[in-house]
Amino acid sequence: MDDLNKLNHKIEIKPFTPNLGGVIRGIDLSKKLNDVDLTTVKEAFKKYQVLFFQKQSEIPPEIQVHLGKSFGPLHVHPAAPTMKGHPEIFEIHTHKDSKISNGTENFHSDVSCDKHPPLGTMLQLHILPECGGDTLFTNMYMAYDCLSENMKMFLQNLKAWHESEHIYKGRYSERGVSDKDILCPSSLHPVIRTHPETGKKAIFVNRSFTTKIDGMTSSESKAILNFLFDHCEDLRFQIRYRWNKNDMAFWDNRCTMHRAVWDYYPMERKGRRVTIKGDEPK
Ligand code: SIN
């Protein structure tokens, strides 16, 4: 039994793989959590980077919002369709008439184009395809740790642009969101960030939003970014999660990336996502 399981006998937490993820059972997210359970979840979040809460029932939207707020103020997506009456909830929904998937089909850290990108994301899925629709995650601490000392030094003070117009423009028009109503933020962030809670370093670039390393020629930037994108997707750092109905995943955008696989068309996949505001990456 590890320290977290000793701290809270009711909750069972097991590693998903040796390198990333924790599976949590014995906690009911459809009700407000008590302080002991919340502390356990906070500790597990730091330790495992992405948590999979299993054996859940559907979480009422206001409870999911309340749970998100226990980690900090909520982030409102600049472009995605939100739930009626709940602007903090992004409704994930793909079905037979969808032309695009929910998120981007590349590994990414959510909305990394924001000046203050989300700390974490809580996604519960209520409708699943019969098979497929897995989500992949990758460990960005481990990706950093596996670089050579020379490469770490080279990257240490670099910054990169994270942009979003190429992703968000027109993306959600079939879900009734006009380009007039959206924001397309862009921000300059360090290529290597230090996690504000664990103090560990992580690579912070991704194929979806990161467009250029500042102060480099286009070809230099492209070469370095392509190396980093490929490196971060090394199978050793990755996991692939197969969802059960009403599982909730809670991932740390500061030290993981994720990618949803849209291999289930024309089947339906639906859920609700809440993101928590983060700080400016440093
Ligand atoms: C996302 O990319 O944020 C959505 C993840 C998913 O649908 O599994």
Side-chain angles (χ1 to χ4, degrees):
M1 193 185 271
D2 76 5
D3 293 347
L4 287 173
N5 285 302
K6 273 190 215 140
L7 181 76
N8 190 330
H9 291 282
K10 202 179 71 169
I11 300 183
E12 180 195 282
I13 311 178
K14 288 188 177 152
F16 183 72
T17 69
N19 292 332
L20 183 62
V23 175
I24 303 200
R25 289 183 179 185
I27 190 164
D28 180 2
L29 297 179
S30 69
K31 302 196 173 69
K32 288 186 183 169
L33 299 190
N34 63 39
D35 288 349
V36 178
D37 288 355
L38 196 58
T39 305
T40 310
V41 171
K42 286 186 176 173
E43 288 306 311
F45 185 59
K46 272 193 272 183
K47 179 171 174 178
Y48 293 106
Q49 304 167 245
V50 49
L51 301 175
F52 303 108
F53 296 84
Q54 296 183 338
K55 307 259 178 228
Q56 298 297 319
S57 53
E58 187 167 331
I59 308 171
E62 51 286 357
I63 299 282
Q64 194 174 354
V65 165
H66 183 271
L67 180 63
K69 283 184 179 164
S70 325
F71 286 79
L74 296 188
H75 175 269
V76 175
H77 198 285
T82 58
M83 190 178 177
K84 206 162 170 231
H86 292 287
E88 314 95 331
I89 295 184
F90 173 5
E91 286 190 292
I92 296 280
H93 196 191
T94 24
H95 47 79
K96 63 178 178 28
D97 299 320
S98 300
K99 307 251 176 326
I100 52 147
S101 67
N102 310 295
T104 87
E105 282 171 77
N106 285 315
F107 269 104
H108 63 282
S109 171
D110 285 323
V111 202
S112 69
C113 53
D114 259 12
K115 189 161 188 261
H116 301 98
L119 163 169
T121 303
M122 294 174 169
L123 172 66
Q124 186 180 44
L125 291 181
H126 315 119
I127 298 178
L128 289 175
E130 202 177 293
C131 54
D134 298 351
T135 307
L136 282 70
F137 296 87
T138 187
N139 183 340
M140 300 298 268
Y141 291 143
M142 205 178 160
Y144 174 77
D145 291 342
C146 289
L147 294 171
S148 68
E149 290 309 312
N150 282 337
M151 182 54 90
K152 286 179 187 166
M153 261 192 309
F154 169 71
L155 298 174
Q156 189 51 46
N157 296 313
L158 295 180
K159 291 190 169 184
W161 284 101
H162 293 237
E163 296 178 288
S164 58
E165 197 170 320
H166 60 292
I167 297 176
Y168 294 153
K169 218 156 181 205
R171 179 161 198 93
Y172 299 106
S173 53
E174 69 178 42
R175 307 241 346 239
V177 182
S178 144
D179 281 345
K180 289 201 301 295
D181 304 330
I182 64 167
L183 295 171
C184 293
S186 60
S187 303
L188 192 59
H189 294 311
V191 169
I192 306 298
R193 73 181 291 180
T194 303
H195 194 288
E197 288 169 61
T198 65
K200 293 205 279 193
K201 287 184 181 176
I203 299 177
F204 194 64
V205 293
N206 65 81
R207 261 186 222 283
S208 295
F209 295 104
T210 315
T211 49
K212 191 172 185 296
I213 297 186
D214 199 43
M216 283 191 161
T217 65
S218 303
S219 54
E220 287 167 349
S221 162
K222 209 167 152 193
I224 300 297
L225 284 179
N226 281 335
F227 159 72
L228 288 173
F229 297 153
D230 289 344
H231 170 75
C232 293
E233 292 170 17
D234 187 310
L235 282 181
R236 288 172 300 163
F237 317 149
Q238 270 189 47
I239 55 172
R240 179 173 182 134
Y241 189 67
R242 178 151 303 164
W243 295 80
N244 309 290
K245 182 178 159 69
N246 292 332
D247 283 352
M248 190 186 87
F250 178 24
W251 59 85
D252 191 330
N253 283 300
R254 301 163 296 184
C255 57
T256 65
M257 290 196 295
H258 60 281
R259 176 189 168 173
V261 186
W262 195 25
D263 56 356
Y264 51 91
Y265 180 84
M267 289 185 276
E268 189 179 13
R269 185 174 181 271
K270 189 174 184 187
R272 292 192 281 265
R273 185 182 118 156
V274 157
T275 47
I276 301 129
K277 258 190 205 162
D279 53 5
E280 194 173 344
K282 293 211 169 64

